Amino acid sequence: MHETLILVIGLAAVLTTARLVAGILSWRAPKPLSSTLVNLNQRINAWWVMVVAITVAFFFGRSGMTILFALISFAALREFVTLTHSRRSDHWVLLGMFGIVIPFQYWLVWTAWYGLFTIFIPVYCFLLMPAITALHGDTERFLERVSAQQWAVMISVYCVSHVPALLTLEVPGFEGRNLLLIAFLIITVQGSDVLQYIFGKLFGRHLMSPKVSPSKTWEGLVGGLATSSLLGALLSFLTPFSPLQAAGVAFIACLMGFLGGLVASAIKRDQGVKDWGHLIEGHGGMMDRADSLVFAAPVFFHTVRYFWTV
Amino acid sequence: MSKLGTKTFTLLQTVTSVGLSALAWAVTGVRPIWNGSQPSDRQRIYFANHASHGDFILLSACLSEKERARTHAVAAADYWGKSRLRRFIAQDMLSSVLIHRQWTDEAENPISIMLSVLDEGHSLIIFPEGTRNMTDEPLLPFRSGLYNLSMARPDVELIPCWIENMSRVLPKGQFVPVPLLCRVVFGAPIAIAPDEERRAFLDRARQTLLALNPRPPTHDAEKWNPVFRKTSCDQKGLEHRAGSDIRHDARGDD
């Protein structure tokens, strides 16, 4: 509880500072405000809402977190499937993805059934979904439709469900504090996103992959990863890791997060859209915010499980 | 509309419309995009593409509470009047206007029924394709109703509305919706030009509606499969390609 209090106060302080800085910038800037500043203000407001939502879920413990991330999966899957090509005969497969895959996967998290949790989607869903599609007999663009559906459940459900799954890990001497692991993961990965954005805006010169994303620069990546590893070390009091280990784990998670953002950009570019959706004011859709968490969560989960559990 | 304009029915219709709008938002996150027109108090005829029973619910969910209360969807009597339950849903719950697609008796003339609703100051939602589109074509040819209504009541605004994705959310013959994001794009009002022919106007209205689609279907099938498909929309491209290939062969190497 003590760490949680420090955490909430720290987050509120960071967001208040950001609010003040953005306020001063807006106050001094020529009117009407540039789109960057408007977007900055929207983003900070949305961060407040997101932090409050996660904090509320936090106080409901395991059930709160599981339900919150099931809802995040729902929003992300809806955005993903909306972007992909599907045909009328896919109706029941799509319904199953929302109505069966999400509830079942999160029920497995809830009951800590690790063995089935890790294979339910990549084995059973991956084999059964194309089978159902084939039974329907509509072969038009079959492989494309099937792989898009598999990627949709893989990214929006399987990967995201690894965040609440952190609550099922039994780390000796860390009993009952697993919620803090989730906080550590979310803060470092999302912090890394923000830091990459800031470093990119301030020092960005060399575009990393102009075809994929016009905003990702080498300067932003290096600066963001270095500072978020440092942030990880500072937050090591939340975790079973030493400060050095925490920096290393944060580095791996944030690097994966960066790759997640890159893949999400490539998918959006391929489908010809700028944002996944419009759920969060100033940020776009749920996937625009969760893309880095998607890649970071499974790797973080397995890193902790391999090195820190018995 | 229900002949029984009692309080009970008004309440039923209000509860239904609020409930359905909330449901539409929860499932599809629907939001209006005003692209050339704005919400207003003017009497309007909204005309939209039609592929699903959910279309009208989605469109009315984008309207203000006040506008929704006076806006009625036009539905086919041969479908919605088939059973007492369907009639109850269409007329009493959704306050739709039922018209006969096949009529002989002058009392069943759909245009006069719709005009009488307009003359009460109400707005209408009509689907000029006349049926739910089940083809791969994005929009079927328009029927004449839109033209006849506008000729008879030129001061009523015609607003084109493109309903996105609803055919994937609730395809014909299905009753459980798949949650996908939907948008409704409201375009600039159109009017019949002086001396404009019926067919010319209907085609222009159809093109205007098509142009509102924020994500026109891309024919990227080639990206996936080099074998060309014989869908109607690729046919032109196919002939064009074949022609150029033949020329290319005739020319030999470049």
Side-chain angles (χ1 to χ4, degrees):
Chain A
M1 218 56 227
H2 172 65
E3 291 101 340
T4 317
L5 199 63
I6 295 178
L7 200 62
V8 173
I9 292 170
L11 278 174
V14 168
L15 281 174
T16 310
T17 313
R19 183 71 272 182
L20 281 173
V21 170
I24 292 167
L25 283 176
S26 306
W27 179 60
R28 290 181 45 190
K31 307 287 179 289
L33 292 180
S34 67
S35 58
T36 310
L37 270 181
V38 171
N39 185 261
L40 183 70
N41 286 321
Q42 285 176 329
R43 279 181 181 233
I44 294 167
N45 292 343
W47 273 118
W48 271 111
V49 176
M50 288 187 262
V51 166
V52 168
I54 291 179
T55 310
V56 169
F58 212 85
F59 284 107
F60 285 95
R62 188 171 188 158
S63 48
M65 274 296 165
T66 310
I67 291 168
L68 176 72
F69 279 92
L71 291 173
I72 290 175
S73 272
F74 170 81
L77 184 63
R78 187 167 69 168
E79 286 165 11
F80 202 112
V81 176
T82 301
L83 272 196
T84 58
H85 172 78
S86 69
R87 293 173 61 80
R88 209 173 314 135
S89 56
D90 292 327
H91 193 75
W92 287 98
V93 175
L94 298 183
L95 272 181
M97 283 156 62
F98 285 97
I100 299 169
V101 178
I102 292 181
F104 192 68
Q105 178 72 2
Y106 280 89
W107 178 77
L108 292 172
V109 171
W110 176 273
T111 54
W113 189 346
Y114 175 78
L116 192 53
F117 158 79
T118 44
I119 62 165
F120 167 62
I121 288 176
V123 174
Y124 294 104
C125 293
F126 271 37
L127 297 179
L128 283 177
M129 280 160 53
I132 294 169
T133 311
L135 281 172
H136 267 288
D138 181 358
T139 56
E140 185 83 11
R141 294 163 80 177
F142 181 85
L143 192 57
E144 175 201 352
R145 281 157 46 209
V146 164
S147 24
Q149 287 157 9
Q150 292 183 334
W151 257 100
V153 287
M154 188 74 193
I155 281 190
S156 347
V157 189
Y158 185 75
C159 290
V160 174
S161 67
H162 281 72
V163 180
L166 286 165
L167 300 175
T168 66
L169 295 178
E170 287 172 12
V171 179
F174 196 67
E175 289 81 6
R177 294 165 63 204
N178 285 29
L179 277 170
L180 297 174
L181 272 179
I182 295 187
F184 176 84
L185 172 68
I186 294 178
I187 292 171
T188 50
V189 171
Q190 297 289 352
S192 161
D193 273 4
V194 175
L195 290 162
Q196 283 176 39
Y197 172 85
I198 292 172
F199 274 85
K201 279 263 182 261
L202 293 178
F203 310 109
R205 293 282 175 276
H206 302 87
L207 283 179
M208 178 167 280
S209 179
K211 273 188 77 170
V212 175
S213 167
S215 60
K216 288 188 169 37
T217 59
W218 284 105
E219 291 81 357
L221 175 65
V222 172
L225 282 183
T227 41
S228 48
S229 306
L230 195 66
L231 176 67
L234 284 177
L235 292 175
S236 63
F237 70 95
L238 301 174
T239 65
F241 323 136
S242 72
L244 192 63
Q245 288 169 338
V249 173
F251 177 81
I252 293 170
C254 295
L255 184 63
M256 288 309 296
F258 163 77
L259 296 175
L262 206 60
V263 168
S265 291
I267 293 173
K268 284 187 286 190
R269 188 49 60 96
D270 176 41
Q271 300 297 331
V273 296
K274 195 175 115 344
D275 287 330
W276 286 96
H278 42 76
L279 189 69
I280 311 170
E281 193 70 41
H283 289 266
M286 180 63 78
M287 271 299 286
D288 289 292
R289 212 48 281 139
D291 53 8
S292 43
L293 201 59
V294 160
F295 269 49
V299 174
F300 180 79
F301 174 90
H302 287 290
T303 307
V304 176
R305 188 171 182 274
Y306 186 82
F307 290 104
W308 276 275
T309 61
V310 185
Chain B
M1 267 169 299
S2 164
K3 297 271 186 294
L4 305 154
T6 58
K7 276 189 176 162
T8 324
F9 277 120
T10 323
L11 183 68
L12 176 71
Q13 283 164 6
T14 310
V15 169
T16 307
S17 93
V18 171
L20 282 176
S21 297
L23 183 71
W25 185 82
V27 173
T28 69
V30 65
R31 56 170 206 158
I33 294 179
W34 295 91
N35 187 2
S37 54
Q38 286 299 325
S40 90
D41 290 338
R42 277 195 64 169
Q43 197 181 1
R44 284 172 163 179
I45 295 172
Y46 301 93
F47 66 97
N49 54 319
H50 191 31
S52 160
H53 282 323
D55 285 335
F56 137 71
I57 293 162
L58 219 56
L59 206 161
S60 45
C62 290
L63 302 175
S64 69
E65 193 64 47
K66 204 172 123 197
E67 178 71 359
R68 206 184 310 149
R70 67 157 194 182
T71 304
H72 304 277
V74 176
D78 49 292
Y79 183 90
W80 285 104
K82 240 183 202 159
S83 66
R84 287 185 64 168
L85 176 67
R86 280 188 188 180
R87 190 170 279 276
F88 175 77
I89 291 174
Q91 285 192 315
D92 299 328
M93 285 177 70
L94 304 173
S95 63
S96 309
V97 180
L98 296 190
I99 57 162
H100 294 269
R101 286 187 279 205
Q102 317 295 337
W103 57 283
T104 45
D105 185 2
E106 186 51 37
E108 288 183 350
N109 182 342
I111 296 294
S112 33
I113 294 173
M114 288 191 271
L115 288 179
S116 67
V117 177
L118 286 176
D119 292 341
E120 287 173 35
H122 297 288
S123 292
L124 289 175
I125 295 173
I126 67 171
F127 301 112
E129 293 168 279
T131 179
R132 279 179 292 166
N133 178 5
M134 304 311 302
T135 65
D136 283 340
E137 284 293 328
L139 202 59
L140 301 173
F142 279 9
R143 301 193 167 194
S144 309
L146 191 65
Y147 176 83
N148 296 334
L149 286 175
S150 192
M151 283 303 269
R153 299 288 181 276
D155 47 343
V156 179
E157 270 192 331
L158 298 181
I159 305 282
C161 316
W162 182 267
I163 299 170
E164 185 189 40
N165 271 340
M166 197 61 206
S167 54
R168 294 171 67 202
V169 172
L170 196 66
K172 195 168 189 167
Q174 300 288 358
F175 50 93
V176 189
V178 169
L180 297 176
L181 296 168
C182 294
R183 291 176 293 186
V184 180
V185 186
F186 293 82
I190 68 165
I192 303 175
D195 310 329
E196 192 169 22
E197 289 293 330
R198 188 171 57 96
R199 198 66 256 171
F201 167 75
L202 290 171
D203 287 340
R204 187 164 66 88
R206 183 173 168 271
Q207 290 304 329
T208 312
L209 183 53
L210 268 177
L212 292 178
N213 185 353
R215 292 186 68 205
T218 49
H219 304 305
D220 56 355
E222 299 166 44
K223 214 161 62 172
W224 296 94
N225 189 338
V227 177
F228 284 106
R229 291 152 199 293
K230 291 191 178 61
T231 57
S232 53
C233 44
D234 281 347
Q235 205 64 46
K236 279 200 197 77
L238 179 60
E239 285 159 11
H240 177 74
R241 288 291 175 111
S244 64
D245 282 354
I246 290 164
R247 272 201 307 279
H248 184 82
D249 290 346
R251 252 198 340 259
D253 53 55
D254 289 330

